[in-house]
Amino acid sequence: PKMKEDNCLHAALICLGMLYYSHAVTTEKLNHARPSLHGHHEKGKEGQVLHRSKRGWVWNQFFVIEEYTGPDPVLVGRLHSDIDSGDGNIKYILSGEGAGIIFVIDDKSGNIHATKTLDREERAQYTLTAQAVDRNTNRPLEPPSEFIVKVQDINDNPPEFLHENYHANVPERSNVGTSVIQVTASDADDPTYGNSAKLVYSILEGQPYFSVEAQTGIIRTALPNMDREAKEEYHVVIQAKDMGGHMGGLSGTTKVTITLTDVNDNPPKFPQSVYQMSVSEAAVPGEEVGRVKAKDPDIGENGLVAYSIIDGDGMDMFEITTDYETQEGVVKLKKLLDFETKKSYSLKVEAANVHIDPKFISNGPFKDTVTVKISVEDADEPPVFLKPSYIFEVQENAASGTVVGKVHAKDPDAANSAIRYSIDRHTDLERYFIINAEDGNIKTIKALDREEIAWHNISVFAVEVHKQHQEAKVPVAIKVVDVNDNAPKFAAAYEAFVCENARSNQQFITISADDKDDSANGPRFIFSLPPEIIHNPNFTLRDNRDNTASVLVRREGFSRQKQDLYLLPIVISDGGLPPMSSTNTLTIRVCGCDSNGSLLSCNAEAYILNAGLSTGALIAILACIVILLVIVVLFVTLKRQKKEPLIVFEEEDVRENIITYDDEGGGEEDTEAFDIATLQNPDGINGFIPRKDIKPEYQYMPRPGLRPAPNSVDVDDFINTRIQEADNDPTAPPYDSIQIYGYEGRGSVAGSLSSLESATTDSDLDYDYLQNWGPRFKKLADLYGSKDTFDDDS
């Protein structure tokens, strides 16, 4: 409260002083500072004389203090003209910014007052215009003149920071005086007047860790070796005070959160000197054994640790990798273990920082080592075969019970349990083999055929006698050794052809052989003729010594008429031990050939037929064919002459020949069916009636009449009857098509003139008027106008 009173008193004194000073200066300048420039001439450009007008009154810049809250309006200043003699004939007028609202003038004395409280921060100055006029005539006595009223500043605005909260980072262990952040405050008061806007910064909270520069607001570190691992975040309060920081000034504060960023100033450290681990001997390579972790209080890349094995008798058996998510070293198995061989291992593991800061290298080596002891646990292991796979051989056709080979497995455990063997029957479905359960000897059960199966791939199980769940499996491949038990045969079903005019010693076919046995049993085939036909008078054989043989003609002059087929036996032997042979028959046909040796015919029957026919017989056959052709031609010619004309004109009964001239027909190419229902009504029943385009030669019996169309009348029945007769009588003209239009189309305003669709009968219609229509309608009158006559006749 005391500070408030002092501030108010100080402001009042300043206001009173400024008012007195303003009034005194204004009055003095108005009364005494009149420039005597009247009558002075000045030459302008090109000799022109410029007249400077004399000012009749003097003005100056006025000042009014802001935030004045007195009971009376503030006197801003006084305007006075030397023309004013004091008799009241002069009238002062004020215009411009705020005139009449904020500033008012006494039109007689010229005193200007401010009627409202002014705020410099809202508006710093006002431009006004003053003029002296004659009170009675309002005639201007002086030209108008502008003047400025400036609002005098007081310290009524506290400093304000740009942000309410600041956040900054600074590396830990930074030197004293390291710049952290600069905070800035602003004051709305006039910086050019007094100390109202002169700010001084100070720190209220955050000592002794940080300091602030009083003039700039820069925050700096104040303590050395601040450790992030001890304290990471600091809260600092900065104050900005105006009036140069003196008593009575206004102030504002802001909060600054300062975070220490990490540097690599801590080496990794194992929390213990020895790690104990264990692993089963049944573990497979790649399996995890255990984990170690060196603690590093640094974070980010400064806390990254890489692990490695640097020594120990287990370097070859184990490996270590780094899990960067958990910063742990993962010890894994590298090779298979054997409890019976070695029961424990020792490793020396090192943990080192990945990134090292040279500034803190003096803090010591950024790495640590630890001993890892790994014990191997015994496991109940399955039997182990001495070999990963076995390959045996056995001759084909060997007797049942022949020994193929022997497999052997043992228990790797210390107990060394007995082993029993068995064959996986899924691999020996035909049961060719059997194994001795105690010693592992494999024998045959039945004879083997190499040509059927050359290799047998079976699997043998080894199981511990007392622990049936412990078993091992090994593949056994058995090769069936070939024995020369197959004789060679023709490589294909040969069929040879020899010409009747073949020359002596002419080759006409080359043959080869095939043997199912292995190439070792008979690498070369021997071809020969049986001893009983070695001197065959027709053909001879030549062995080419390349597993082929050529068959040659021994004599000339073969005749199909005498013998068209020869069978030649050929003996083929292999070179095996003992050798195997077979007799194969080659079929040789005698054919007719031209002079170049090209085959013409090998058919013996055709040859005999041609030879048995004489020339006279052939001439007789041709004569019979010619006579038959002549008879057919004559018959066809007579038939054409007897044909009737295609169109018959009968004038007697016009009803049997309904000819419409508005249809051109389809001609001879029109083969479409005639549908009377469609012609009568497009919405009627669709049917199919075959069309007769030519007059047939034979008469057909009329077919039964068709069922009349729905809603038919007498005329409709009449037309349908005639259509049926025409359709069933192929001799009746016309032969193109019959087109009857009983339907005139849809949408006609006048309707149909035809009586075909009428619901009445002939007995209800009167056709007597046709007698009066002239000779052109005589036939219609005869047909329909004589109804009574027809009725009487019937």
Side-chain angles (χ1 to χ4, degrees), residues 628-663:
L628 289 175
L629 291 175
V630 170
I631 292 173
V632 171
V633 171
L634 291 175
F635 181 77
V636 173
T637 304
L638 292 175
K639 278 290 183 181
R640 286 187 178 178
Q641 291 178 354
K642 292 180 180 181
K643 284 186 178 179
E644 297 179 357
L646 295 178
I647 300 177
V648 179
F649 294 93
E650 296 182 2
E651 295 293 335
E652 291 77 17
D653 191 357
V654 72
R655 291 173 297 177
E656 295 183 359
N657 294 281
I658 302 174
I659 301 173
T660 58
Y661 295 95
D662 56 347
D663 182 293

Side-chain angles (χ1 to χ4, degrees), residues 560-565 589-590 601-610:
R560 283 181 290 170
Q561 188 175 4
K562 293 181 179 181
Q563 185 176 355
D564 63 341
L565 184 66
R589 291 186 178 275
V590 179
S601 174
C602 296
N603 192 340
E605 295 180 359
Y607 181 85
I608 295 171
L609 180 61
N610 291 336

Side-chain angles (χ1 to χ4, degrees), residues 529-763:
L529 295 176
E532 61 271 16
I533 62 167
I534 193 67
H535 300 295
N536 188 313
N538 299 316
F539 307 99
T540 184
L541 184 70
R542 182 180 65 202
D543 193 340
N544 298 324
R545 299 183 178 274
D546 59 355
N547 291 333
T548 65
S550 300
V551 182
L552 298 86
V553 176
R554 174 169 285 186
R555 67 179 178 86
E556 296 181 357
F558 290 89
S559 175
R560 283 181 290 170
Q561 188 175 4
K562 293 181 179 181
Q563 185 176 355
D564 63 341
L565 184 66
Y566 293 90
L567 299 177
L568 180 65
I570 298 176
V571 178
I572 307 175
S573 302
D574 59 21
L577 292 176
M580 299 288 291
S581 64
S582 65
T583 302
N584 301 265
T585 301
L586 178 64
T587 301
I588 304 173
R589 291 186 178 275
V590 179
C591 301
C593 303
D594 58 11
S595 59
N596 296 326
S598 300
L599 295 179
L600 295 178
S601 174
C602 296
N603 192 340
E605 295 180 359
Y607 181 85
I608 295 171
L609 180 61
N610 291 336
L613 285 178
S614 63
T615 305
L618 294 176
I619 294 174
I621 293 173
L622 293 175
C624 292
I625 294 173
V626 171
I627 293 172
L628 289 175
L629 291 175
V630 170
I631 292 173
V632 171
V633 171
L634 291 175
F635 181 77
V636 173
T637 304
L638 292 175
K639 278 290 183 181
R640 286 187 178 178
Q641 291 178 354
K642 292 180 180 181
K643 284 186 178 179
E644 297 179 357
L646 295 178
I647 300 177
V648 179
F649 294 93
E650 296 182 2
E651 295 293 335
E652 291 77 17
D653 191 357
V654 72
R655 291 173 297 177
E656 295 183 359
N657 294 281
I658 302 174
I659 301 173
T660 58
Y661 295 95
D662 56 347
D663 182 293
E664 296 178 2
E668 295 180 356
E669 296 178 359
D670 186 359
T671 57
E672 296 294 328
F674 173 74
D675 187 0
I676 184 62
T678 304
L679 294 175
Q680 182 183 9
N681 188 343
D683 302 326
I685 300 174
N686 294 325
F688 177 80
I689 301 176
R691 203 183 66 203
K692 308 297 186 298
D693 290 340
I694 62 172
K695 182 178 179 181
E697 299 295 334
Y698 303 99
Q699 299 295 328
Y700 296 91
M701 292 300 293
R703 292 183 298 176
L706 299 177
R707 179 171 56 88
N711 300 326
S712 64
V713 295
D714 293 345
V715 176
D716 194 8
D717 293 338
F718 167 75
I719 294 175
N720 287 334
T721 301
R722 290 294 181 263
I723 291 172
Q724 292 177 1
E725 293 176 358
D727 290 337
N728 295 322
D729 186 6
T731 62
Y735 303 111
D736 252 350
S737 61
I738 299 176
Q739 301 288 349
I740 302 300
Y741 289 90
Y743 177 74
E744 296 180 3
R746 306 185 189 92
S748 175
V749 178
S752 176
L753 296 176
S754 174
S755 61
L756 296 179
E757 298 290 338
S758 176
T760 61
T761 61
D762 287 349
S763 60

Side-chain angles (χ1 to χ4, degrees), residues 101 380 396 465 702:
I101 301 173
D380 189 8
E396 65 174 329
V465 174

Side-chain angles (χ1 to χ4, degrees), residues 496-540:
F497 301 92
V498 63
C499 294
E500 289 180 308
N501 56 356
R503 298 184 304 274
S504 179
N505 292 327
Q506 180 180 350
Q507 175 184 335
F508 59 90
I509 190 172
T510 300
I511 59 176
S512 61
D514 189 14
D515 194 338
K516 292 182 180 180
D517 292 324
D518 190 58
S519 59
N521 288 314
R524 191 180 76 81
F525 300 121
I526 301 171
F527 300 87
S528 63
L529 295 176
E532 61 271 16
I533 62 167
I534 193 67
H535 300 295
N536 188 313
N538 299 316
F539 307 99
T540 184

